[in-house]
Amino acid sequence: MKTLGLFRHAKSDWNDARLRDFDRPLNARGRKGAGLMGLHIRDYGMRWKRILASPAVRVTQTIELAAQAAGESPPLNWDRRIYLASSPTLADILREQDGDPPTILMVGHNPGLEDLIFDLVPDDGSSPLRDIVEEKFPTATFAVLELEIEAWSDLTDSCARLLHLMRPRDLDPRLGPQIED
């Protein structure tokens, strides 16, 4: 059995049109959401043996603010392939993990993270959390999947159960989509 955490970067700033997508920072709501989710991820109680992350600015800032709020200094593995990756690419990255850590947290972007959930969790009506993801996997959302595999190299479609899903607005309604900065 393996456990996979998925954490989407927090809300980014679109105000500077000169910036490349890769270089976009977080906006004020994103900074608040990242810290709040950092506390939630800590309180969830899972010890992540490996953290894989996109090196995009909005991801690095999300991790930094989440870690500061949680009082943690997690060891990070930056992988540029995670930046805007598709679900098959993310699955390949997971399959190639050496040392077979029992838990991995992947921090990245949509639509790849959301699609990875759709690929790994069967669409058989047994997961109300999957139904929520089908509506939207908003920024700074944190999900936990339990995978029925012995090694990461065994990762295959429909091998997981979605155990946990938390969005910033679930913890603070002011961080919901109806609020503008």
Side-chain angles (χ1 to χ4, degrees):
M1 207 59 80
K2 301 289 183 193
T3 302
L4 174 63
L6 300 174
F7 184 27
R8 184 176 174 201
H9 67 78
K11 192 82 172 156
S12 61
D13 190 344
W14 289 84
N15 288 335
D16 188 346
R18 296 171 299 167
L19 289 177
R20 296 180 314 150
D21 179 74
F22 187 88
D23 297 325
R24 282 190 293 115
L26 298 182
N27 66 16
R29 190 168 93 193
R31 289 189 295 275
K32 290 175 194 168
L36 184 63
M37 293 309 292
L39 292 171
H40 175 76
I41 292 168
R42 180 199 64 200
D43 293 346
Y44 185 74
M46 182 67 60
R47 299 319 278 162
W48 303 104
K49 296 298 183 185
R50 185 164 299 157
I51 300 175
L52 306 173
S54 161
V57 170
R58 58 193 180 271
V59 174
T60 62
Q61 289 181 339
T62 297
I63 293 169
E64 179 181 306
L65 291 166
Q68 283 175 358
E72 308 264 336
S73 296
L76 299 167
N77 298 283
W78 303 104
D79 191 327
R80 187 159 177 111
R81 296 174 298 166
I82 296 172
Y83 172 66
L84 302 182
S86 66
S87 174
T89 298
L90 296 175
D92 287 344
I93 292 167
L94 290 168
R95 280 188 203 99
E96 70 187 31
Q97 294 305 302
D98 60 351
D100 254 348
T103 60
I104 292 177
L105 176 63
M106 182 176 277
V107 189
H109 311 266
N110 250 7
L113 293 179
E114 179 178 303
D115 289 343
L116 186 61
I117 292 171
F118 296 148
D119 290 343
L120 296 178
V121 178
D123 185 13
D124 60 6
S126 66
S127 176
L129 294 178
R130 188 184 192 284
D131 295 341
I132 294 170
V133 174
E134 284 187 20
E135 291 173 24
K136 188 169 185 185
F137 193 74
T139 52
T141 294
F142 170 64
V144 179
L145 293 82
E146 181 180 71
L147 293 84
E148 296 182 27
I149 56 173
E150 293 301 316
W152 289 102
S153 60
D154 299 333
L155 187 73
T156 187
D157 285 355
S158 300
C159 72
R161 290 184 313 121
L162 184 54
L163 300 178
H164 181 77
L165 183 71
M166 187 60 63
R167 303 166 296 189
R169 68 178 171 212
D170 297 328
L171 299 170
D172 183 347
R174 294 172 297 170
L175 295 174
Q178 69 281 3
I179 303 299
E180 293 299 320
D181 293 327

